Amino acid sequence: MNDDKWYDLGDAAELSKQPLQQVMAGRNKLALSCVDGKFGVIHGSCNHVGGPLGQGTLEGDYVVCPWHHWKFHRVTGLGEPGYEDDRVPRFEFKTKNGRLLVSTAAATSRNRLPHARHPLDRDTQREPGPLRVVGISTTIMDNAHPRYSTSEALLETALEQARNKHSLETRLIKLRELSFRACEGYYSKSAQACTWPCSISQMDRKDGMNEVYENLVFWADVVLVATPIRWGAASSLYFKMAERLNTVQNQITLRNRVMLKDKVAGLIVTGGQDNVQAVAGQMMLFFGELGMQFPQFPFIAHSRGWTAEDMERNVEVVRQSRELHDGARALLDRCLDLAARLQTSSAPEFKRAGRKASGLERNVP
Ligand code: FES
Protein backbone atom coordinates (compact mmCIF):
# COMPACT_ATOMS: atom_id res chain seq x y z
CA MET A 1 0.00 0.00 0.00
CA ASN A 2 1.38 3.42 -0.90
CA ASP A 3 -0.05 6.34 1.10
CA ASP A 4 1.38 9.62 -0.25
CA LYS A 5 4.85 8.05 -0.77
CA TRP A 6 4.61 6.28 2.56
CA TYR A 7 5.02 2.53 2.24
CA ASP A 8 3.10 0.28 4.60
CA LEU A 9 5.58 -2.22 6.06
CA GLY A 10 2.97 -4.08 8.10
CA ASP A 11 1.55 -4.41 11.60
CA ALA A 12 3.82 -2.39 13.91
CA ALA A 13 3.34 -4.71 16.90
CA GLU A 14 4.28 -7.74 14.80
CA LEU A 15 7.27 -6.00 13.24
CA SER A 16 8.54 -4.95 16.67
CA LYS A 17 9.03 -8.61 17.64
CA GLN A 18 12.16 -9.02 15.53
CA PRO A 19 15.26 -7.03 16.55
CA LEU A 20 16.48 -6.88 12.94
CA GLN A 21 14.95 -7.88 9.64
CA GLN A 22 15.08 -7.13 5.96
CA VAL A 23 11.92 -5.54 4.49
CA MET A 24 11.06 -4.08 1.10
CA ALA A 25 9.56 -0.64 0.44
CA GLY A 26 8.85 -0.60 -3.25
CA ARG A 27 12.18 -1.51 -4.82
CA ASN A 28 14.16 -0.41 -1.77
CA LYS A 29 15.70 -3.06 0.45
CA LEU A 30 15.64 -1.83 4.04
CA ALA A 31 17.13 -2.95 7.35
CA LEU A 32 14.36 -2.53 9.92
CA SER A 33 15.37 -2.80 13.56
CA CYS A 34 13.50 -2.53 16.82
CA VAL A 35 15.22 -2.24 20.19
CA ASP A 36 13.21 -1.58 23.38
CA GLY A 37 10.18 -0.73 21.24
CA LYS A 38 12.07 1.89 19.22
CA PHE A 39 12.24 1.34 15.47
CA GLY A 40 15.09 2.29 13.16
CA VAL A 41 15.05 2.09 9.37
CA ILE A 42 18.21 2.28 7.28
CA HIS A 43 19.03 1.14 3.76
CA GLY A 44 19.57 -2.58 3.47
CA SER A 45 22.68 -2.53 1.25
CA CYS A 46 26.08 -2.23 2.89
CA ASN A 47 28.56 0.40 1.74
CA HIS A 48 31.31 -2.17 1.29
CA VAL A 49 30.13 -4.51 -1.47
CA GLY A 50 26.38 -4.48 -0.92
CA GLY A 51 25.88 -7.03 1.84
CA PRO A 52 22.27 -7.37 3.09
CA LEU A 53 22.30 -5.38 6.33
CA GLY A 54 18.80 -6.52 7.29
CA GLN A 55 20.11 -10.08 7.41
CA GLY A 56 22.92 -9.14 9.76
CA THR A 57 23.01 -8.94 13.52
CA LEU A 58 22.66 -6.20 16.09
CA GLU A 59 25.53 -5.16 18.32
CA GLY A 60 24.04 -2.57 20.64
CA ASP A 61 22.62 0.06 18.32
CA TYR A 62 24.79 -1.01 15.39
CA VAL A 63 23.76 -3.25 12.54
CA VAL A 64 26.61 -5.64 11.73
CA CYS A 65 26.80 -6.60 8.07
CA PRO A 66 26.62 -10.38 7.68
CA TRP A 67 29.24 -10.45 4.93
CA HIS A 68 32.35 -8.74 6.35
CA HIS A 69 31.06 -7.16 9.53
CA TRP A 70 31.05 -3.46 8.77
CA LYS A 71 28.77 -1.63 11.22
CA PHE A 72 26.15 1.08 10.78
CA HIS A 73 23.98 2.77 13.39
CA ARG A 74 20.56 1.21 13.18
CA VAL A 75 18.75 4.59 13.48
CA THR A 76 21.06 7.20 11.94
CA GLY A 77 22.80 4.99 9.34
CA LEU A 78 26.19 6.44 10.36
CA GLY A 79 29.22 4.16 10.34
CA GLU A 80 30.68 2.93 13.60
CA PRO A 81 32.70 5.38 15.74
CA GLY A 82 35.66 6.64 13.74
CA TYR A 83 33.86 5.93 10.44
CA GLU A 84 30.74 8.07 10.94
CA ASP A 85 31.05 9.63 7.50
CA ASP A 86 30.79 6.19 5.91
CA ARG A 87 27.01 6.14 6.13
CA VAL A 88 24.02 4.43 4.58
CA PRO A 89 20.67 6.22 4.04
CA ARG A 90 18.29 6.59 6.97
CA PHE A 91 14.55 6.63 6.31
CA GLU A 92 11.65 8.50 7.94
CA PHE A 93 8.96 6.32 9.46
CA LYS A 94 5.77 6.67 11.49
CA THR A 95 2.98 4.52 12.85
CA LYS A 96 -0.56 5.07 11.72
CA ASN A 97 -3.56 2.97 12.80
CA GLY A 98 -1.16 0.37 14.16
CA ARG A 99 0.72 0.12 10.87
CA LEU A 100 4.38 0.99 10.39
CA LEU A 101 4.87 3.34 7.43
CA VAL A 102 8.16 4.36 5.88
CA SER A 103 8.93 7.15 3.44
CA THR A 104 11.58 6.49 0.85
CA ALA A 105 11.36 10.08 -0.38
CA ALA A 106 12.88 11.62 2.73
CA ALA A 107 15.98 9.44 3.03
CA THR A 108 19.37 10.88 3.91
CA SER A 109 22.11 10.42 1.33
CA ARG A 110 24.60 7.58 1.20
CA ASN A 111 28.24 8.51 1.66
CA ARG A 112 31.18 6.21 1.03
CA LEU A 113 34.50 7.15 2.54
CA PRO A 114 37.46 6.36 0.34
CA HIS A 115 39.26 3.35 1.80
CA ALA A 116 42.95 2.70 1.18
CA ARG A 117 43.36 0.35 -1.76
CA HIS A 118 44.68 -3.09 -0.92
CA PRO A 119 48.09 -3.70 -2.57
CA LEU A 120 46.64 -6.72 -4.44
CA ASP A 121 43.85 -4.60 -5.89
CA ARG A 122 45.62 -3.75 -9.14
CA ASP A 123 45.87 -4.64 -12.81
CA THR A 124 47.19 -8.12 -13.57
CA GLN A 125 49.23 -6.97 -16.55
CA ARG A 126 52.50 -8.92 -16.73
CA GLU A 127 55.61 -6.93 -15.80
CA PRO A 128 58.21 -7.15 -18.60
CA GLY A 129 61.24 -9.37 -18.16
CA PRO A 130 62.48 -12.94 -18.54
CA LEU A 131 60.30 -15.86 -17.53
CA ARG A 132 59.82 -16.20 -13.78
CA VAL A 133 59.33 -19.43 -11.86
CA VAL A 134 57.74 -19.89 -8.45
CA GLY A 135 57.65 -23.15 -6.57
CA ILE A 136 55.02 -23.82 -3.93
CA SER A 137 55.84 -26.53 -1.44
CA THR A 138 52.78 -27.74 0.43
CA THR A 139 54.40 -30.31 2.67
CA ILE A 140 54.30 -29.85 6.42
CA MET A 141 57.09 -30.31 8.91
CA ASP A 142 58.49 -28.85 12.08
CA ASN A 143 60.72 -26.05 10.82
CA ALA A 144 62.82 -26.24 13.95
CA HIS A 145 63.60 -29.89 13.17
CA PRO A 146 63.43 -30.19 9.39
CA ARG A 147 63.27 -33.56 7.64
CA TYR A 148 63.92 -34.60 4.06
CA SER A 149 60.76 -34.06 2.01
CA THR A 150 60.67 -35.99 -1.25
CA SER A 151 58.22 -33.58 -2.91
CA GLU A 152 60.14 -30.51 -1.80
CA ALA A 153 63.49 -31.99 -2.83
CA LEU A 154 62.24 -32.57 -6.37
CA LEU A 155 60.79 -29.07 -6.42
CA GLU A 156 64.15 -27.62 -5.39
CA THR A 157 65.84 -29.61 -8.16
CA ALA A 158 63.44 -28.10 -10.69
CA LEU A 159 64.04 -24.58 -9.38
CA GLU A 160 67.81 -25.11 -9.50
CA GLN A 161 67.42 -26.08 -13.14
CA ALA A 162 65.65 -22.78 -13.81
CA ARG A 163 68.42 -20.82 -12.13
CA ASN A 164 71.47 -22.78 -13.27
CA LYS A 165 70.57 -23.89 -16.76
CA HIS A 166 68.27 -21.04 -17.80
CA SER A 167 69.53 -18.17 -15.59
CA LEU A 168 66.00 -17.36 -14.53
CA GLU A 169 64.78 -15.84 -11.31
CA THR A 170 62.98 -18.26 -9.03
CA ARG A 171 61.12 -18.06 -5.76
CA LEU A 172 60.18 -20.82 -3.37
CA ILE A 173 57.12 -20.51 -1.16
CA LYS A 174 56.89 -22.97 1.69
CA LEU A 175 53.28 -22.86 2.77
CA ARG A 176 54.19 -24.11 6.24
CA GLU A 177 56.14 -20.89 6.83
CA LEU A 178 53.12 -18.69 6.09
CA SER A 179 50.55 -17.79 8.68
CA PHE A 180 47.13 -17.67 7.07
CA ARG A 181 43.53 -18.37 7.95
CA ALA A 182 41.46 -21.08 6.33
CA CYS A 183 38.75 -19.92 3.94
CA GLU A 184 35.84 -18.78 6.08
CA GLY A 185 33.16 -19.41 3.49
CA TYR A 186 32.32 -15.92 2.23
CA TYR A 187 31.39 -17.54 -1.06
CA SER A 188 28.92 -19.69 0.83
CA LYS A 189 27.19 -16.52 2.03
CA SER A 190 26.99 -15.11 -1.47
CA ALA A 191 29.20 -15.18 -4.57
CA GLN A 192 29.36 -11.37 -4.20
CA ALA A 193 30.72 -11.71 -0.66
CA CYS A 194 33.78 -13.59 -1.99
CA THR A 195 35.86 -10.64 -3.14
CA TRP A 196 39.18 -9.89 -4.79
CA PRO A 197 41.38 -9.27 -2.90
CA CYS A 198 40.17 -12.08 -0.68
CA SER A 199 37.89 -10.85 2.12
CA ILE A 200 40.34 -12.24 4.68
CA SER A 201 43.27 -10.43 3.03
CA GLN A 202 41.30 -7.19 3.20
CA MET A 203 40.57 -7.66 6.88
CA ASP A 204 44.05 -8.94 7.77
CA ARG A 205 46.94 -7.07 6.14
CA LYS A 206 49.37 -9.65 7.54
CA ASP A 207 47.56 -12.50 5.82
CA GLY A 208 50.22 -14.99 4.72
CA MET A 209 48.24 -15.86 1.59
CA ASN A 210 49.23 -12.47 0.20
CA GLU A 211 52.58 -14.01 -0.73
CA VAL A 212 50.84 -16.75 -2.70
CA TYR A 213 48.49 -14.27 -4.41
CA GLU A 214 51.32 -11.89 -5.24
CA ASN A 215 53.47 -14.56 -6.86
CA LEU A 216 50.75 -16.62 -8.48
CA VAL A 217 48.64 -13.80 -9.87
CA PHE A 218 51.22 -11.13 -10.62
CA TRP A 219 54.81 -12.39 -10.66
CA ALA A 220 55.25 -15.91 -11.97
CA ASP A 221 54.91 -17.33 -15.46
CA VAL A 222 55.53 -20.90 -14.32
CA VAL A 223 54.13 -22.27 -11.07
CA LEU A 224 55.41 -25.61 -9.79
CA VAL A 225 53.30 -27.09 -7.02
CA ALA A 226 54.70 -29.94 -4.96
CA THR A 227 52.69 -32.09 -2.59
CA PRO A 228 53.06 -35.30 -0.66
CA ILE A 229 50.22 -37.82 -0.73
CA ARG A 230 48.41 -37.98 2.58
CA TRP A 231 45.73 -40.63 2.87
CA GLY A 232 45.29 -40.69 -0.87
CA ALA A 233 44.98 -36.90 -1.25
CA ALA A 234 47.21 -33.83 -1.50
CA SER A 235 48.44 -32.32 1.76
CA SER A 236 46.07 -30.48 4.07
CA LEU A 237 48.07 -27.28 3.50
CA TYR A 238 47.53 -27.66 -0.25
CA PHE A 239 43.78 -27.75 0.30
CA LYS A 240 43.93 -24.85 2.74
CA MET A 241 45.65 -22.83 0.01
CA ALA A 242 43.30 -24.11 -2.70
CA GLU A 243 40.22 -23.01 -0.77
CA ARG A 244 41.70 -19.54 -0.35
CA LEU A 245 42.25 -19.39 -4.13
CA ASN A 246 38.50 -19.47 -4.72
CA THR A 247 38.79 -15.68 -4.71
CA VAL A 248 40.72 -15.96 -8.00
CA GLN A 249 38.29 -18.39 -9.61
CA ASN A 250 35.29 -16.41 -8.40
CA GLN A 251 36.45 -13.37 -10.35
CA ILE A 252 35.83 -15.42 -13.50
CA THR A 253 32.36 -16.37 -12.30
CA LEU A 254 31.39 -12.87 -11.22
CA ARG A 255 33.19 -10.59 -13.65
CA ASN A 256 34.56 -12.74 -16.42
CA ARG A 257 37.93 -11.55 -15.14
CA VAL A 258 40.55 -14.21 -15.83
CA MET A 259 43.39 -13.23 -13.51
CA LEU A 260 45.80 -16.04 -14.40
CA LYS A 261 46.65 -15.54 -18.04
CA ASP A 262 49.37 -17.31 -19.97
CA LYS A 263 50.62 -19.04 -16.85
CA VAL A 264 51.83 -22.61 -16.79
CA ALA A 265 51.50 -25.11 -13.96
CA GLY A 266 53.63 -28.19 -13.36
CA LEU A 267 52.93 -30.65 -10.55
CA ILE A 268 55.13 -32.80 -8.36
CA VAL A 269 53.39 -35.56 -6.40
CA THR A 270 55.17 -38.03 -4.17
CA GLY A 271 53.88 -40.41 -1.56
CA GLY A 272 54.91 -43.29 0.56
CA GLN A 273 51.60 -44.76 -0.51
CA ASP A 274 49.70 -44.65 -3.74
CA ASN A 275 46.94 -42.60 -5.40
CA VAL A 276 49.12 -40.51 -7.68
CA GLN A 277 46.55 -40.33 -10.46
CA ALA A 278 43.76 -39.06 -8.20
CA VAL A 279 45.99 -36.45 -6.56
CA ALA A 280 47.46 -35.19 -9.82
CA GLY A 281 44.01 -35.29 -11.46
CA GLN A 282 42.44 -33.17 -8.74
CA MET A 283 45.27 -30.65 -8.92
CA MET A 284 45.06 -30.42 -12.69
CA LEU A 285 41.33 -29.80 -12.54
CA PHE A 286 41.76 -27.16 -9.88
CA PHE A 287 44.54 -25.19 -11.58
CA GLY A 288 42.77 -25.59 -14.90
CA GLU A 289 39.69 -23.97 -13.38
CA LEU A 290 41.86 -21.06 -12.27
CA GLY A 291 42.84 -20.52 -15.91
CA MET A 292 46.30 -22.09 -15.92
CA GLN A 293 47.85 -24.01 -18.81
CA PHE A 294 49.65 -27.35 -18.67
CA PRO A 295 52.60 -28.61 -20.68
CA GLN A 296 52.63 -32.00 -22.29
CA PHE A 297 53.08 -34.50 -19.41
CA PRO A 298 52.20 -31.96 -16.71
CA PHE A 299 53.27 -33.85 -13.61
CA ILE A 300 55.96 -36.08 -12.22
CA ALA A 301 55.22 -38.47 -9.41
CA HIS A 302 56.62 -41.22 -7.28
CA SER A 303 55.10 -43.82 -5.02
CA ARG A 304 56.22 -47.29 -4.03
CA GLY A 305 52.66 -48.41 -3.47
CA TRP A 306 50.18 -49.27 -0.77
CA THR A 307 52.32 -51.80 1.05
CA ALA A 308 55.50 -49.71 1.13
CA GLU A 309 55.47 -48.83 4.80
CA ASP A 310 59.28 -48.62 5.09
CA MET A 311 59.35 -44.87 4.73
CA GLU A 312 63.08 -44.52 5.31
CA ARG A 313 63.65 -46.52 2.14
CA ASN A 314 61.14 -44.37 0.30
CA VAL A 315 63.14 -41.28 1.20
CA GLU A 316 66.37 -42.94 0.13
CA VAL A 317 64.91 -43.97 -3.20
CA VAL A 318 63.88 -40.41 -4.04
CA ARG A 319 67.06 -38.91 -2.67
CA GLN A 320 69.22 -41.12 -4.87
CA SER A 321 67.01 -41.46 -7.92
CA ARG A 322 68.68 -39.79 -10.85
CA GLU A 323 65.61 -40.56 -12.93
CA LEU A 324 63.28 -38.62 -10.62
CA HIS A 325 65.54 -35.59 -10.35
CA ASP A 326 66.06 -35.59 -14.10
CA GLY A 327 62.28 -35.83 -14.37
CA ALA A 328 61.90 -32.71 -12.23
CA ARG A 329 64.32 -30.85 -14.51
CA ALA A 330 62.49 -32.06 -17.58
CA LEU A 331 59.15 -30.97 -16.10
CA LEU A 332 60.58 -27.51 -15.55
CA ASP A 333 61.87 -27.41 -19.13
CA ARG A 334 58.48 -28.40 -20.52
CA CYS A 335 56.76 -25.71 -18.45
CA LEU A 336 59.23 -23.07 -19.63
CA ASP A 337 58.82 -24.14 -23.22
CA LEU A 338 55.07 -23.67 -23.06
CA ALA A 339 55.37 -20.41 -21.09
CA ALA A 340 57.73 -19.00 -23.72
CA ARG A 341 55.36 -19.94 -26.50
CA LEU A 342 52.41 -18.40 -24.66
CA GLN A 343 54.32 -15.15 -24.26
CA THR A 344 55.03 -14.97 -27.97
CA SER A 345 51.70 -16.27 -29.24
CA SER A 346 50.46 -14.22 -32.16
CA ALA A 347 46.79 -14.74 -31.44
CA PRO A 348 46.15 -13.12 -28.08
CA GLU A 349 42.53 -12.42 -28.91
CA PHE A 350 41.84 -16.16 -28.77
CA LYS A 351 43.73 -17.04 -25.64
CA ARG A 352 42.35 -14.05 -23.76
CA ALA A 353 38.76 -14.84 -24.60
CA GLY A 354 36.71 -15.01 -21.41
CA ARG A 355 34.95 -18.14 -20.32
CA LYS A 356 31.54 -16.48 -20.29
CA ALA A 357 31.97 -15.71 -23.94
CA SER A 358 32.37 -19.42 -24.57
CA GLY A 359 29.51 -20.38 -22.28
CA LEU A 360 31.77 -22.16 -19.84
CA GLU A 361 31.23 -20.03 -16.77
CA ARG A 362 30.68 -21.86 -13.52
CA ASN A 363 32.16 -22.08 -10.10
CA VAL A 364 33.78 -24.99 -8.34
CA PRO A 365 33.66 -24.12 -4.66
S1 FES B 1 30.93 -5.62 5.17
FE1 FES B 1 29.06 -5.41 4.20
S2 FES B 1 29.43 -6.14 2.23
FE2 FES B 1 31.35 -6.35 3.16
Side-chain angles (χ1 to χ4, degrees), residues 46 48-51 65 67-70:
C46 178
H48 180 209
V49 284
C65 178
W67 284 4
H68 314 101
H69 323 131
W70 286 25

Side-chain angles (χ1 to χ4, degrees), residues 17-31:
K17 289 178 183 170
Q18 276 200 58
L20 179 63
Q21 58 192 302
Q22 180 171 290
V23 295
M24 298 299 293
R27 291 192 301 181
N28 291 288
K29 189 168 63 178
L30 307 178

Side-chain angles (χ1 to χ4, degrees), residues 155-170:
L155 176 61
E156 284 176 343
T157 295
L159 294 177
E160 268 171 32
Q161 170 87 340
R163 289 191 301 272
N164 297 344
K165 180 179 172 193
H166 303 288
S167 303
L168 296 176
E169 189 179 351
T170 66

Side-chain angles (χ1 to χ4, degrees), residues 256-295:
N256 203 20
R257 183 185 183 199
V258 182
M259 302 184 78
L260 305 187
K261 293 179 199 141
D262 304 335
K263 291 178 186 282
V264 177
L267 310 173
I268 297 169
V269 179
T270 62
Q273 296 184 346
D274 210 348
N275 218 17
V276 166
Q277 291 179 40
V279 174
Q282 192 282 339
M283 295 172 82
M284 285 177 65
L285 180 134
F286 176 71
F287 284 102
E289 284 293 306
L290 292 187
M292 298 199 75
Q293 320 286 329
F294 298 100

